[in-house]
Amino acid sequence: MGKKLNRVLLIDDDESTNFLHKIVLEDNVEIKNIEVAETVTEAFEILERSKGADKTEPDLIFLDLNMPGMNGWDFLEKYKGLHKNSLIFILTTSANPDDKKKAEKIKEVSGFRNKPLTGEMVQEIILEYFPH
Amino acid sequence: MNAKPKILVVDDRYENLLAIRTVLRDLDLELIEAKSGNDALKATLHNEFALALLDIQMPEMDGYELASILREEEKTARLPFIFISAVYTDNLNVFKGYEKGAFSFITKPFQPEILINKVKFFIEKHQQEIALYELNKKLEIRVQERTQELENANSDLEHMLHMMKGKNEELEQFAYIASHDLQEPLRTTSSYVALLEKEIKSKLDERSELYLQHITKSSERMRTLITGLLEYSRIGKEKEKEAVDCNQILSEVRTDLDTLIKENNATIFVHPLPKKLNAYPVELRQLFQNLIANALKFRRKEINPIIEIDAVEENHLWKFSVKDNGIGIEEKFFNRIFIIFQRLHARKDYIGNGIGLAHCKKIAELHKGTIWVESTLNGGSTFFITISKN
């Protein structure tokens, strides 16, 4: 502990998954503001909203791939054009190696993990990406 | 064939052989000489001849005899002959093999020009035959190759089709068993959660109570997904087609959806539909029910839903259409909507498990047809379904 994050955005269409991930995050790192989006559209609304205000961009975004309508890949496609620099981690249930390969080619993606998010995963990410 | 054509020259007298050699020396030929019928036969064993020049009068075996023997041999059966005789003899009929191959006569003393022309004629003819033969051979090989290729491709296809059928059955079986067996532990989980809720709910803090709520919600979602999968794998299983009155089916569907239709203030127009369609009645009914229920669910809030159902007869099929004035679909999702469990909207906006249109697709395919959509965002959607007549 001891590390502090300002903002984390969770994008997943399953409410219960978001709820669980929020708890896991809260238990492992101090975060000022955890926001939840159940669709890609909602996620962009949240990202847009933060632009004008004094709020900063999210430090971390956890992204589900399989979502109704616009999916995780669609999110990444649109996100590229925004030139933001949140760290994006894909969290997916499908252990599909093709998805992993595809994700590795996208420079905006920092990591690829299988759901559910665990305390160890959070610790690992904090250690590696937020050492100070 | 770059080698020079070979000519067999048979004469028992050396001076005759020499004379022929001299006359033919300017032609691009290889002459093989034989002084008797026996020598000539030996020569045919080792050479392929284009033409034979035969002296008729020879001791032991005369020219006719030699020619007859050559005609009997497979290798030389079609070898053309030019008989060279001292006089025009009247025993032309002595040679019986003329029906098989070409032959000609020339009398001694011969004019060199005549011999040269005859030889040229036969050699040319021989070369044409060879060229034709080789062309034929090449064509035959090509035909054989192509036939073989086609046969291979065909058997590959058959094999693949066979495999696909097997895999498909395997998958359906798998989906059925998996969804059936998955229900068991799920039901147990739900039961225990229900018990837990009943016994300790009053003692739980707010957060723990939320945990329980999420367990219940997720189990419920799992249950609908599994049920959907189970139904999906059962479509068309062990059922027979029968003559179906589509008008009757539509009127039943409207009765079933009556409450929903009234709640939505919806108008449904049904044009005359086929009265006798060879189809699976339960599945066909499900198809229309899903499409109409979707049209009501994805209505535009500001206008009353209008749904129009029609059928057009085409060659071997009926093309049905279900048209609405609802929220429409973006083109990029036209294919995704027919994949099982794929949804376009957040669960809190529209309930559903992403199975309905996958069902419709499977039902259309069960009837050797297809399903597709034409739509624009906010411009309504038209779903087209084809059903094969047989």
Side-chain angles (χ1 to χ4, degrees):
Chain A
M1 292 288 273
K3 319 285 182 220
K4 258 191 193 175
L5 296 185
N6 258 325
R7 290 179 74 199
V8 172
L9 174 59
L10 300 174
I11 311 172
D12 195 309
D13 61 313
D14 183 42
E15 192 195 345
S16 298
T17 301
N18 285 329
F19 182 72
L20 176 72
H21 289 173
K22 199 174 167 195
I23 291 168
V24 170
L25 280 168
E26 282 167 350
D27 286 352
N28 285 279
V29 60
E30 202 174 317
I31 304 166
K32 249 191 188 166
N33 188 7
I34 299 179
E35 286 157 298
V36 170
E38 287 182 21
T39 63
V40 169
T41 315
E42 260 180 59
F44 280 110
E45 276 166 19
I46 289 172
L47 289 174
E48 282 301 302
R49 216 189 297 141
S50 61
K51 216 162 64 176
D54 56 353
K55 282 187 186 175
T56 50
E57 290 170 37
D59 302 293
L60 271 172
I61 295 176
F62 289 101
L63 176 68
D64 182 25
L65 284 181
N66 188 12
M67 287 184 284
M70 299 231 278
N71 59 26
W73 303 117
D74 297 326
F75 173 86
L76 289 168
E77 198 54 44
K78 200 171 165 190
Y79 185 87
K80 272 184 202 170
L82 299 180
H83 305 292
K84 289 177 177 282
N85 39 32
S86 299
L87 289 179
I88 300 179
F89 286 85
I90 290 175
L91 279 180
T92 175
T93 313
S94 73
N96 186 344
D98 289 346
D99 282 349
K100 195 169 180 194
K101 259 187 218 154
K102 192 172 168 188
E104 277 162 6
K105 289 193 188 121
I106 302 174
K107 70 169 170 31
E108 282 77 11
V109 177
S110 299
F112 190 95
R113 304 278 196 282
N114 284 333
K115 279 198 247 182
L117 186 67
T118 62
E120 290 81 54
M121 282 185 207
V122 176
Q123 304 279 6
E124 245 177 59
I125 290 169
I126 297 297
L127 260 175
E128 192 176 343
Y129 294 92
F130 303 93
H132 303 299
Chain B
M1 291 293 281
N2 293 326
K4 290 181 187 177
K6 285 181 182 174
I7 295 189
L8 176 64
V9 186
V10 190
D11 201 308
D12 59 321
R13 295 171 68 152
Y14 175 73
E15 61 270 30
N16 287 344
L17 288 174
L18 184 66
I20 291 172
R21 199 188 305 157
T22 312
V23 169
L24 298 179
R25 70 178 168 238
D26 289 337
L27 297 182
D28 197 20
L29 300 168
E30 185 181 343
L31 297 185
I32 307 281
E33 293 168 353
K35 294 190 81 176
S36 69
N38 278 329
D39 285 352
L41 289 175
K42 273 181 210 157
T44 60
L45 295 178
H46 310 293
N47 297 287
E48 299 288 336
F49 289 110
L51 174 66
L53 302 184
L54 307 179
D55 181 26
I56 291 174
Q57 278 158 353
M58 291 188 288
E60 290 169 29
M61 192 190 296
D62 71 16
Y64 291 138
E65 270 179 86
L66 174 59
S68 301
I69 292 169
L70 288 173
R71 279 281 186 270
E72 294 302 315
E73 294 296 321
E74 203 191 326
K75 195 177 171 190
T76 50
R78 304 195 67 82
L79 180 64
F81 306 122
I82 299 176
F83 293 109
I84 302 171
S85 63
V87 283
Y88 251 128
T89 48
D90 57 353
N91 53 357
L92 192 107
N93 290 336
V94 171
F95 178 55
K96 297 292 185 193
Y98 48 75
E99 73 278 6
K100 271 191 180 167
F103 67 97
S104 181
F105 283 93
I106 194 164
T107 47
K108 286 188 269 191
F110 50 76
Q111 282 186 337
E113 279 306 308
I114 292 179
L115 181 64
I116 287 172
N117 281 340
K118 283 201 182 213
V119 168
K120 269 187 179 169
F121 170 80
F122 277 109
I123 292 295
E124 211 167 279
K125 199 166 164 279
H126 175 73
Q127 279 169 339
Q128 281 169 357
E129 269 172 18
I130 284 176
L132 200 65
Y133 173 80
E134 291 194 340
L135 194 68
N136 265 334
K137 198 90 187 167
K138 264 187 209 159
L139 273 174
E140 230 170 69
I141 290 169
R142 283 279 299 278
V143 167
Q144 267 174 13
E145 280 171 357
R146 289 290 297 149
T147 310
Q148 191 59 44
E149 274 169 32
L150 279 173
E151 272 173 10
N152 289 348
N154 228 0
S155 95
D156 280 357
L157 264 178
E158 260 171 37
H159 181 66
M160 263 163 67
L161 196 68
H162 186 73
M163 294 253 294
M164 292 268 286
K165 271 186 188 162
K167 283 266 172 273
N168 217 11
E169 277 167 23
E170 209 175 275
L171 262 177
E172 277 174 11
Q173 187 68 9
F174 174 78
Y176 179 77
I177 290 170
S179 46
H180 191 264
D181 291 358
L182 284 173
Q183 294 214 63
E184 201 71 26
L186 187 65
R187 203 178 299 124
T188 316
T189 309
S190 302
S191 309
Y192 276 100
V193 171
L195 282 175
L196 206 59
E197 263 188 332
K198 206 167 122 192
E199 285 191 21
I200 60 163
K201 200 172 179 185
S202 53
K203 300 170 203 154
L204 287 178
D205 60 18
E206 199 185 328
R207 190 153 144 165
S208 305
E209 203 175 304
L210 269 175
Y211 292 172
L212 266 187
Q213 272 177 29
H214 279 289
I215 297 175
T216 312
K217 207 191 262 178
S218 291
S219 309
E220 182 56 30
R221 203 179 131 211
M222 182 74 169
R223 201 184 59 76
T224 49
L225 289 178
I226 289 176
T227 314
L229 200 60
L230 196 60
E231 281 167 6
Y232 183 77
S233 67
R234 272 181 188 156
I235 289 174
K237 271 249 146 56
E238 293 147 22
K239 282 174 189 161
E240 297 284 334
K241 280 191 193 174
E242 53 186 80
V244 175
D245 181 354
C246 299
N247 305 286
Q248 173 70 24
I249 287 210
L250 254 295
S251 102
E252 284 168 18
V253 170
R254 287 173 79 157
T255 311
D256 289 349
L257 295 176
D258 190 49
T259 318
L260 205 57
I261 292 166
K262 281 186 180 139
E263 275 172 9
N264 280 290
N265 273 324
T267 314
I268 301 185
F269 295 113
V270 182
H271 293 274
L273 302 178
K275 285 198 175 72
K276 264 190 171 180
L277 186 67
N278 195 24
Y280 298 91
V282 178
E283 277 73 11
L284 203 62
R285 186 171 154 170
Q286 162 125 56
L287 176 110
F288 285 113
Q289 181 155 336
N290 286 357
L291 290 175
I292 293 170
N294 271 355
L296 295 171
K297 179 156 85 175
F298 299 106
R299 61 170 288 190
R300 268 188 285 173
K301 293 203 170 63
E302 66 277 14
I303 55 170
N304 288 336
I306 298 170
I307 303 168
E308 193 177 343
I309 294 146
D310 202 357
V312 184
E313 190 171 7
E314 289 179 2
N315 282 338
H316 305 290
L317 50 84
W318 279 94
K319 185 166 94 179
F320 292 86
S321 56
V322 178
K323 187 179 179 200
D324 66 47
N325 58 348
I327 60 171
I329 301 159
E330 278 179 82
E331 195 178 340
K332 63 178 170 182
F333 298 134
F334 281 4
N335 290 325
R336 210 190 279 178
I337 54 173
F338 297 107
I339 299 171
I340 192 162
F341 299 147
Q342 289 283 337
R343 299 158 37 82
L344 295 188
H345 305 279
R347 239 167 251 120
K348 60 181 180 232
D349 297 333
Y350 294 96
I351 54 156
N353 51 19
I355 286 175
L357 286 176
H359 266 182
C360 292
K361 181 165 190 264
K362 202 173 165 190
I363 292 168
E365 284 166 0
L366 187 68
H367 291 92
K368 292 188 194 122
T370 50
I371 185 167
W372 70 98
V373 68
E374 285 173 12
S375 179
T376 49
L377 208 53
N378 289 318
S381 305
T382 308
F383 284 86
F384 294 95
I385 310 98
T386 56
I387 302 273
S388 169
K389 281 185 196 165
N390 38 42

